[in-house]
C-alpha cells in the first residue's frame, strides 16, 4: 500500500548535495551597505599604516642626540618652535635644541627622532618663547610609530569569503574601499504546498492551518545570507503545481518546496520531479525528523523538497540548504560549526535513526551545556522559538540521559566548518 | 600641564549609564519585515493548536469500539466511506463498521475516535466498495492529536523583548500575526571628530588618515539593532563642532562622537559638553583601552564621547552604548553574555587597570577557549577584524599567561545578560 524507499545516511546525503554547489556571483556595493555581507575578494592593504611617522602620545618631538647629557641633576632645555595637532602637517625642520609640541596621532616633524611625553617635560615660562626642560635621556625612535610598522601595503588582511563585521568594515574604510566587492546573495525560491494551508492574514477554517513553514524558511534563508522569492502556496493539484514549480525554477538559484514529499495520496512532489525530468538525489533519509526530505537536481539547479512538518522542515533547511548558500557566498567553512556539550535533559526514547533535535546552548563556567528547546512544552511549533542549535543523537538501541556528552551544531555562529563531520556515537 | 581627571571603575560607569535608559518605542510592521527585530509585546496564542482533532499519520480513522473483538485470528472489517487529505473537511459521520481514509494533518471525521496507520491495515479488493481489515484492538484517542493539545488559546509563547528568529516567525504566522508589534530601532547619531580625518573615498594626504571609526561604529550600531544617522566629520574647531553636535542631538535618541575627549590641545569635547550644559557622568575610566571614554547627559539624552583610538572606540561602544540600545529594544538581558574561557595566548604585560582585549572564541570538545584577536599582527586596526569577544583582564601586578581562566564577553551572542557582572580576578 505504500511505496518503499531506501533510506541513506545523512553524511552521504550532505555529500550528494554539496557536490552540486553552484558558482557564487560577486557584485560591487557601497561601503555603507556592506554589513554582514561576505567579501568576494581578499581585503588587501592599499597603503602602509601608518602612512607617516606618527606620535602615539601628546608631548614634544625632539632629537634624541640632544638628550645625551640629560639627567635628574642636569636638565636639557629646548626651544618649542611649532605646535601641531593630528591632521596638521609640520612646517619646520628641527635643529639642535629645538622641539615641536605635538598631539597624539600627529606627524613627526623632520629632524625629530623621538617624542617626550608631557608628563616627563617641564614647561618654563619665559617672556619671549616657550621653553621646555627634560631630565632624562631619550632613545632614537622612542614613542614614534614608524611608517608601515602596523601594516605594509599589499598585505592580505582578510580572506575572501569572510563576513564583514565592524572590524572588517573599519579596515575597508582605512584602506579607502568606498566600494566593496561582495558575494551576491543567492536567490532562493520558496513554495509551500498543501490544500490545508491558509495565508497568515486569513481566519482559521475547519481542517485548515496557517502557512507557517514558508515564513519560517524565509527567515532561515535571510539568516543564511540569501534573498528569497516567495511564489505562494499551492493546492495539491498536479498540473498547476507543476507549472508553478517549473516557472519558479527559472527565476532562482535553488528552489525550496515544503510538504508533498511523503507517500500520501496527495503528495505530488515525486510526480512533479519525474515530470520535470529532475534527478532525485535521495528521497529517504536515515534520520528523524525529516526522513522524507528529498533533494533533486534539474539542469544543475537544486530542488529541496522539505517536509511539511515544521521541525523536519527547519532541520532539513539547516542540514542541506544552509551549506549550499554558504558555499555560493564563498564561505570556505560552509557547514554549521559542530561542538560538544553536556545534555541537560533526558531523551529516553531509543531510535534506530539519528535524531537532530532542536536545542539551545547555555554556559557553565567554560563548559557548554545543551538543552532541549521547549522541553516543558512538548509541542512541535513553540519548541522552535528558542532553538539556536541542533543536538545530534546518533541512532541506537537506547535513549539518552542528562549528563551524556553529545555533538551539537551551532546555528547562530559564524565560524562554520569546512566539512560535515561523521555522525558517530560518543 | 595636563588636566587631572579621577578615574572610576567600569562597573560604576556602566551603572551610571544604564540608569539613563530611555524608553523604547514600538511600531507595527509586516511579518515579512520582522526578521531579527525584537517583540514589543508578548506573542500570545490566538487559537488552539491544533484547532481541530487531527491525524498525525496516513491511515484510516475509525471507531475504537468496533475493534474490541479484533485479533490476529479474527480481523475486523470496515467499509471505507470517504477519503480525505489535509485541508479537506470530512463530510460523512462514521457509523458502526465504517472507516475514513485519512492523510497526515487531516481533520478526524465525526464519529471516529482513533486512527489505524496504513501499515497495520489490510486492503481488500472488492467490486463494489473499498474494504479494509484490521487485526488489532485500537484505543480511544490513539493516533489523534487532540484540539488544543499542543497550544491553548491565550498562552504566552514568547516574551516581549525577545528577538524574532525563524522559530518565532513560524509562531507569528501560525497565530495569524500578519502585523507584528516590534521595538522601534533607536536612532543613534554618529559624528567623527579630528582634523586628521579624510573621507573613505579621498586619497591619502601627509599627516592624515581615513575616517574608519565612523564606519566601524555604524556597523556596531547596526549589529546592536539600531539605526544610525551619520552627521559627518568635524575639524577640531569649537564653534562649528558645537553647532553640529547641538543640532544633531535634537534628531537622535543618543549621540556618539569619536575622538576629542582626551586632554590634548585640540580635544574639544570637554568644552562642548560645558557649552551644551550637559552633565558629565564620567570622563576617566580605570580601564584600558578607552580610559578617556566620556559619557554626558543633556535633557535625558546620552552623549557618548568615545576615544578616537579604534580599539578604545570599539570597546567603549560595546561596554556602554550596546546595553542602552538593547534596553530601548525591550531586551530584558541588555548586557553582553559573560562566560569563562581558557586563555590560549600570553599577555605578559602587567597593568594596574582592567583591560578589555579584543579576542575570539574557539571550542575544544565542550570547552571554551579564548584567543587574542590578531596576536600575530600586533597592530590596532587589523586585530579588530577577527574579534567576536572581549577578554576581561582585571588589573594587577602581574600579567596573564596561556592556561589562565578568564572572563569573556561574547559580542555575537543573542542570549545576553540581565546585569553587568563585577570585574574580579579569578
Amino acid at each position: 500500500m505504500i511505496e518503499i524507499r531506501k533510506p541513506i545516511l545523512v553524511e552521504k546525503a550532505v555529500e550528494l548535495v554539496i557536490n552540486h554547489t553552484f558558482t557564487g556571483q560577486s557584485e560591487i556595493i557601497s561601503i555603507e551597505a556592506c554589513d554582514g555581507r561576505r567579501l568576494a575578494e581578499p581585503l588587501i592593504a592599499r597603503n602602509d599604516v601608518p602612512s607617516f611617522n606618527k606620535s602615539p602620545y601628546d608631548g614634544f618631538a625632539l632629537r634624541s642626540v640632544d638628550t645625551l647629557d640629560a639627567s635628574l641633576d642636569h636638565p636639557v632645555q629646548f626651544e618649542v618652535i611649532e605646535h601641531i595637532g593630528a591632521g596638521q602637517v609640520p612646517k619646520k625642520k628641527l635643529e639642535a635644541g629645538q622641539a615641536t609640541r605635538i598631539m597624539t596621532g600627529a606627524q613627526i616633524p623632520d629632524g625629530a627622532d623621538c617624542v617626550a611625553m608631557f608628563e616627563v617635560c617641564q614647561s618654563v615660562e619665559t617672556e619671549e618663547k616657550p621653553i621646555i626642560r627634560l631630565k632624562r635621556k631619550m632613545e632614537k625612535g622612542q614613542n614614534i610609530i614608524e611608517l608601515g610598522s602596523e601594516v605594509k601595503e599589499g598585505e592580505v588582511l582578510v580572506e575572501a569569503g569572510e563576513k564583514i563585521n565592524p572590524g572588517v568594515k573599519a579596515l575597508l574604510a582605512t584602506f579607502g574601499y568606498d566600494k566593496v566587492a561582495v558575494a551576491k546573495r543567492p536567490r532562493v525560491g520558496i513554495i509551500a504546498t498543501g490544500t490545508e494551508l491558509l495565508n497568515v492574514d486569513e481566519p482559521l477554517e475547519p481542517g485548515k492551518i496557517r502557512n507557517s513553514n514558508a515564513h519560517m524558511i524565509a527567515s532561515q534563508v535571510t539568516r543564511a545570507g540569501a534573498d528569497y522569492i516567495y511564489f505562494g502556496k499551492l493546492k495539491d493539484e498536479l498540473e498547476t503545481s507543476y507549472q508553478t514549480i517549473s516557472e519558479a525554477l527559472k527565476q532562482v538559484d535553488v528552489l525550496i518546496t515544503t510538504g508533498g514529499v511523503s507517500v500520501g495520496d496527495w503528495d505530488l512532489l515525486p510526480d512533479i520531479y519525474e515530470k520535470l525530468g529532475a534527478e532525485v538525489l535521495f528521497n529517504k533519509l536515515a534520520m528523524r525528523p525529516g526522513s522524507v526530505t528529498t533533494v533533486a537536481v534539474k539542469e544543475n539547479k537544486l530542488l529541496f523538497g522539505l517536509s511539511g512538518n515544521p521541525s523536519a522542515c527547519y532541520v532539513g533547511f539547516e542540514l542541506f540548504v544552509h551549506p549550499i548558500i554558504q558555499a555560493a557566498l564563498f564561505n570556505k567553512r560552509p557547514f554549521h560549526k559542530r561542538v560538544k556539550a553536556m545534555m541537560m535533559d533526558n531523551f529516553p526514547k531509543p531510535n534506530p535513526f539519528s535524531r537532530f533535535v532542536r536545542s539551545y546552548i547555555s554556559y557553565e563556567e567554560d563548559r557548554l551545556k545543551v538543552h532541549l528547546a521547549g522541553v516543558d512544552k512538548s509541542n512541535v511549533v513553540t519548541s522552535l522559538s528558542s532553538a539556536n542549535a541542533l543536538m545530534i543523537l546518533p541512532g541506537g538501541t537506547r535513549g539518552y540521559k542528562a549528563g551524556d556528552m553529545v555533538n551539537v551544531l551551532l546555528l547562530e555562529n559564524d565560524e562554520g566548518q569546512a566539512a560535515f563531520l561523521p555522525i558517530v556515537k560518543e
Side-chain angles (χ1 to χ4, degrees), chain A:
Chain A
M1 199 178 264
I2 53 167
E3 174 198 342
I4 303 301
R5 298 177 176 179
K6 195 172 144 41
I8 68 167
L9 293 176
V10 175
E11 297 92 318
K12 179 68 186 165
V14 169
E15 189 191 324
L16 287 172
V17 171
I18 206 78
N19 283 345
H20 287 85
T21 300
F22 62 97
T23 310
Q25 307 290 310
S26 67
E27 63 182 332
I28 309 290
I29 61 172
S30 150
I31 187 172
E32 275 83 21
C34 75
D35 288 299
R37 302 293 295 266
R38 287 187 181 271
L39 292 172
E41 295 166 6
L43 196 168
I44 291 165
R46 288 176 170 172
N47 52 259
D48 290 339
V49 174
S51 57
F52 49 88
N53 291 336
K54 183 173 176 170
S55 176
Y57 300 115
D58 296 343
F60 293 94
L62 41 84
R63 296 156 25 114
S64 58
V65 67
D66 293 347
T67 69
L68 280 176
D69 297 332
S71 68
L72 281 176
D73 306 329
H74 186 267
V76 291
Q77 188 159 309
F78 293 87
E79 175 195 2
V80 180
I81 61 164
E82 201 178 3
H83 182 185
I84 58 164
Q88 297 174 5
V89 181
K91 295 188 182 67
K92 297 181 181 167
K93 182 178 171 180
L94 294 192
E95 306 293 343
Q98 294 184 330
T100 293
R101 184 176 169 102
I102 191 169
M103 295 293 114
T104 305
Q107 183 171 339
I108 305 293
D110 286 347
D113 64 4
C114 64
V115 171
M117 293 167 72
F118 277 168
E119 291 84 335
V120 303
C121 298
Q122 187 191 356
S123 209
V124 182
E125 300 290 325
T126 66
E127 304 242 324
E128 295 124 52
K129 49 190 182 183
I131 296 286
I132 57 154
R133 283 192 187 134
L134 184 60
K135 293 181 173 177
R136 62 173 74 181
K137 284 190 187 58
M138 298 290 298
E139 281 170 33
K140 191 173 152 76
Q142 195 172 345
N143 296 336
I144 288 182
I145 308 175
E146 277 189 39
L147 183 149
S149 60
E150 295 189 343
V151 181
K152 292 262 182 272
E153 187 177 336
E155 228 178 278
V156 173
L157 301 175
V158 187
E159 298 289 343
E162 294 296 309
K163 204 173 209 175
I164 299 172
N165 62 23
V168 175
K169 199 170 177 185
L171 287 178
L172 289 166
T174 298
F175 295 103
Y177 287 88
D178 57 326
K179 306 284 179 203
V180 189
V182 297
K184 211 167 173 172
R185 297 184 204 272
R187 285 158 309 164
V188 178
I190 302 172
I191 295 177
T193 76
T195 304
E196 74 276 23
L197 299 179
L198 297 168
N199 286 329
V200 63
D201 58 353
E202 289 180 298
L204 280 187
E205 287 175 29
K208 304 214 168 186
I209 58 171
R210 292 200 191 84
N211 171 14
S212 63
N213 282 342
H215 290 280
M216 181 181 75
I217 288 288
S219 188
Q220 289 175 286
V221 168
T222 304
R223 181 167 74 180
D227 284 334
Y228 70 88
I229 307 177
Y230 178 49
F231 292 96
K233 59 187 171 63
L234 300 176
K235 286 196 193 307
D236 301 319
E237 293 162 356
L238 183 61
E239 194 49 42
T240 51
S241 295
Y242 167 76
Q243 289 298 339
T244 305
I245 288 172
S246 182
E247 282 305 310
L249 196 52
K250 293 176 190 161
Q251 300 175 43
V252 298
D253 296 311
V254 302
L255 182 63
I256 297 172
T257 54
T258 65
V261 283
S262 189
V263 292
D265 301 343
W266 283 274
D267 283 328
L268 301 176
L269 267 297
D271 292 342
I272 291 171
Y273 295 137
E274 197 177 334
K275 198 162 170 169
L276 280 169
E279 177 203 354
V280 173
L281 300 180
F282 53 86
N283 60 13
K284 184 89 178 172
L285 291 171
M287 77 169 201
R288 295 287 183 278
S291 63
V292 295
T293 306
T294 301
V295 180
V297 183
K298 156 89 174 171
E299 286 159 14
N300 286 323
K301 283 186 183 172
L302 286 163
L303 293 102
F304 292 93
L306 304 183
S307 166
N309 168 287
S311 323
C313 186
Y314 188 95
V315 168
F317 180 92
E318 299 299 339
L319 290 182
F320 302 110
V321 192
H322 175 89
I324 275 291
I325 292 174
Q326 293 301 305
L329 292 171
F330 311 129
N331 185 353
K332 294 184 184 79
R333 303 180 306 277
F335 299 98
H336 284 303
K337 177 74 189 167
R338 186 164 118 178
V339 297
K340 284 205 187 347
M342 184 185 284
M343 271 184 87
M344 301 306 282
D345 300 300
N346 294 316
F347 199 95
K349 202 178 153 188
N351 200 306
F353 302 108
S354 296
R355 293 197 75 97
F356 292 83
V357 188
R358 292 141 299 146
S359 307
Y360 65 93
I361 288 289
S362 71
Y363 306 87
E364 196 179 303
E365 300 282 306
D366 65 328
R367 303 272 190 147
L368 290 174
K369 312 282 171 177
V370 62
H371 308 251
L372 298 173
V375 67
D376 45 345
K377 299 177 184 181
S378 62
N379 64 73
V380 286
V381 188
T382 63
S383 62
L384 289 172
S385 73
S386 59
N388 60 16
L390 294 177
M391 205 187 282
I392 306 178
L393 302 181
T397 50
R398 61 173 196 85
Y400 291 83
K401 59 184 191 309
D404 286 352
M405 292 297 290
V406 292
N407 286 305
V408 178
L409 300 175
L410 301 182
L411 303 181
E412 295 183 348
N413 181 289
D414 277 336
E415 187 183 338
Q417 203 147 296
F420 185 85
L421 302 175
I423 297 166
V424 284
K425 197 142 182 167
E426 289 306 307

